[in-house]
Amino acid sequence: MWIRSCIGFWERPARPKRPLAALLLATTLLSPAVVLPDRAGFAQSQADTVDGMERPRFDVTDEFSASNIDPVTQAILNDALKSLQFFAIAQLEADEDIGLAQSGVVRGYLARRQKQDAIDNAERIEDPIWRARSYIWISDYVQVVEKNHDEARQWIDRAVQEVLALPSMRDNGESLQIAALRLAARGFPEAATKSAQAIPDTRTRVGTLQRVADISLSLSESAATRGETATILRAAFAEANALTMDPIDKSDILIEIGAVQLKAEDGAGAQASFQAAQQLILDVPGARKYDALTRLASKMVEAGNQRGGMTVVRMIPEGADRARALAAVSSAMGRRNIDAAVPLFRLAMEETERIEDQQQRFDTLAYLIARQSEVGRLADAFEGAFMITEEVPRSEALLGMGRVLIAQGKLTEALVLKDYIPFVGMRAQLMAPVALGRGLEQDPEGASALLAEALDPTGFPYIPEYVPAALDAVLTAQIRGGLKSADQAIFSRARDLAEVLPGDLPQVEALVQVAIAEARRGRIDDAQKTISAAYRIAFENNRTAGFDRALMAISLAQLAAGDLIGAYDTAARIPEPPPGGPFPRTQDGGFDVPRYQALIRVAAAAGRLGDPRFGGEIVTRKIAHAPAKATGLAAVAIAMANRTTDLIDVINDIRDGALLSPDFDYLNKVAQEVEGETGSGGGRLGDAPQLAPMPQGG
């Protein structure tokens, strides 16, 4: 009976009853085949206790015996991804939470290029929203990996039908928005528009229609496309104009609609949208309106309505706000016609001379300098920087200029600026990307020399707020492109720089950055000493705001050093968040809560290293919030399947809200490289290189 029920679960789209689910979970936990045997370095996770805490045990009914399981059931229970589904079924109550966890298994199968297993599991998900989301991920896989555009469209259509069949949409149409934007990007504007129009939330519907129209125009400039887009946008304008909401937020929606209407050559529609936005802004009291008017003017000029944009600029009073507006409009115009932008930049510079407050003038000049840099007016921008007479604000303006240049790939030009910035925390942020570029171009010696120079004392005081970003940039560049023999000197300077930070907890996070860099270079003893120092400082300040984030950072460093159990212990000591929520979320549905994030990182690392059972236990035992528990199980499934990326990169993706969204472009590229090397067209990805070394934790 038990065996028939277990097999039946995989033969029909229904989940088992709770008692059976617990029994299946118990069997999974008892099965040693779930754990890969070659991870001796993490043998602690197989012990009966973890740091004095007994590992979870489940009651098993007397009539059950593992020796009675038939080969089919044994094969099911031996599959680690399936074991995670049993965790979800046994530990979660709501279909919504179970669906989220199961969708992680779907994405895990897709990351392993096991499409049919992904489909089978997606069809078993009882929650319609997560079933639809899973169909969308399958569509992404088919589109990117298999290059089958027709089948990819069919999966999107299935997802849309799942959502439309609901009596009410729990996600307010977010799934339809995802589907609509996918359809638009793949060249199906009519289907995309139809999906967007079905979104129940007016604001989401209007925003999605505007984005669909913009995407459609970027793919086709035909008269038919422009006409259809104009009709859709006029309807979107009518809906947006009827919204009851903050007038500035509402004006931003209307501005975006008007800009796309101009692209569609619907001048009358754009004029109506811009006029409505302008009136909303002008009715707002105080100076809050001026930033909104600047956005309106800039967007109008960017879309080709120069006359209208300048009319709006003249509504802004002289001084700092007018200067910023002129700078923004000049930059927008410069992207279309740089010659026409130059006189406007001069006007903006002249306007700064009217500003009486010195700090406000410096801030406005920095804004103008960044806008000039965007369109290549580098000599003007550099000259403008030296109109700032104080050292710190001038350096900040030059740093802003350098960031623009780095974003544009102009590394040589950005490096010139370091000679005019005397503050280590600022100049290092410009020198590190240039050093990384040298390292990636097979000049690790030059890269490390530049990084060492970046951390050299200059005789000027350190500005604490710029130090963390500088450390991150320098250490990342050294790891990725620097000379290994230079590690000791650079890491030592970085540790010294961390100590200049005021307050103890900021020092902890800086020391963690150093520890992670040391661990990634294999300097495990050094990393552990740095972690110990950070740990001591953190617990001396355990009643200080930020203690939870300091422990989260330490836990990540312990993972980098190969101490899985230590990372678990640290994560489990992070205080619970205040009860009740709601808790901040990441874009892909994760949780920006230190305790949950740290525990999910450790669980994902356990899955990635071949011990998904331990990862599942961490999530289900130590995370009380059911949706976060579901997210954790999904993360374990995906991290376990992602064998193509460095461990620390995988768990860092949780911080960036990316772990729960496999990069199929990257996975497909890696798969093709693996197949090219082996001459095999097999459907599974090879193992990625591991961190070296990966010693025993403890």
Side-chain angles (χ1 to χ4, degrees), residues 92-370:
L92 302 171
E93 293 294 332
D95 284 346
E96 174 185 353
D97 298 332
I98 295 173
L100 169 55
Q102 289 179 314
S103 74
V105 174
V106 171
R107 286 169 278 177
Y109 276 124
L110 292 174
R112 291 166 66 174
R113 303 180 80 202
Q114 294 175 244
K115 174 187 167 188
Q116 190 56 52
D117 288 322
I119 292 172
D120 293 343
N121 281 277
E123 291 175 341
R124 293 190 190 99
I125 296 175
E126 292 189 10
D127 180 69
I129 293 294
W130 285 110
R131 188 163 61 241
R133 297 284 181 95
S134 296
Y135 290 162
I136 292 173
W137 284 309
I138 293 170
S139 171
D140 292 345
Y141 176 88
V142 172
Q143 176 82 12
V144 173
V145 178
E146 298 184 347
K147 311 294 185 186
N148 188 332
H149 307 308
D150 291 336
E151 184 184 346
R153 163 71 189 275
Q154 291 168 11
W155 282 108
I156 289 280
D157 290 342
R158 284 189 67 177
V160 170
Q161 292 306 312
E162 288 282 352
V163 178
L164 292 178
L166 292 171
S168 62
M169 297 182 197
R170 184 183 70 240
D171 65 350
N172 288 324
E174 184 181 344
S175 298
L176 288 178
Q177 180 187 49
I178 296 169
L181 296 176
R182 294 284 204 286
L183 289 166
R186 295 172 189 176
F188 301 107
E190 293 181 3
T193 301
K194 187 176 180 181
S195 296
Q197 288 171 333
I199 295 173
D201 180 73
T202 304
R203 185 172 181 178
T204 304
R205 180 171 63 251
V206 168
T208 305
L209 286 168
Q210 176 263 318
R211 292 172 66 185
V212 165
D214 200 8
I215 294 169
S216 299
L217 287 171
S218 69
L219 297 177
S220 172
E221 297 181 356
S222 67
T225 300
R226 290 197 302 271
E228 292 168 0
T229 299
T231 301
I232 294 167
L233 289 172
R234 288 200 175 205
F237 164 74
E239 288 199 70
N241 207 28
L243 284 170
T244 302
M245 59 187 297
D246 178 81
I248 297 296
D249 292 341
K250 183 175 176 179
S251 71
D252 285 338
I253 295 173
L254 295 175
I255 289 168
E256 294 297 331
I257 291 173
V260 183
Q261 286 175 313
L262 277 181
K263 292 181 184 178
E265 299 184 1
D266 180 12
Q271 179 63 27
S273 297
F274 288 144
Q275 186 63 40
Q278 178 180 310
Q279 191 56 53
L280 282 168
I281 296 168
L282 291 175
D283 288 342
V284 174
R288 182 168 170 244
K289 69 179 71 172
Y290 301 134
D291 284 343
L293 286 173
T294 296
R295 290 194 296 274
L296 172 59
S298 176
K299 188 64 71 172
M300 292 174 75
V301 171
E302 185 180 326
N305 186 356
Q306 179 178 340
R307 184 185 298 273
M310 291 307 299
T311 299
V312 173
V313 169
R314 285 190 285 272
M315 296 177 184
I316 300 174
E318 294 179 344
D321 293 310
R322 172 79 67 86
R324 282 176 173 268
L326 284 167
V329 165
S330 302
S331 179
M333 189 176 296
R335 288 189 283 272
R336 301 170 60 89
N337 183 350
I338 188 60
D339 292 334
V342 172
L344 285 178
F345 275 129
R346 290 200 188 104
L347 282 175
M349 185 63 72
E350 292 172 5
E351 195 67 36
T352 63
E353 297 174 3
R354 303 175 187 269
I355 304 172
E356 295 181 359
D357 182 85
Q358 181 171 267
Q359 187 58 51
Q360 192 177 44
R361 181 169 180 266
F362 291 163
D363 292 344
T364 305
L365 281 169
Y367 180 84
L368 171 58
I369 289 161

Side-chain angles (χ1 to χ4, degrees), residues 402-416:
R403 286 170 173 165
V404 171
L405 294 174
I406 289 169
Q408 295 175 339
K410 299 177 180 178
L411 300 183
T412 302
E413 293 88 339
L415 187 60
V416 171

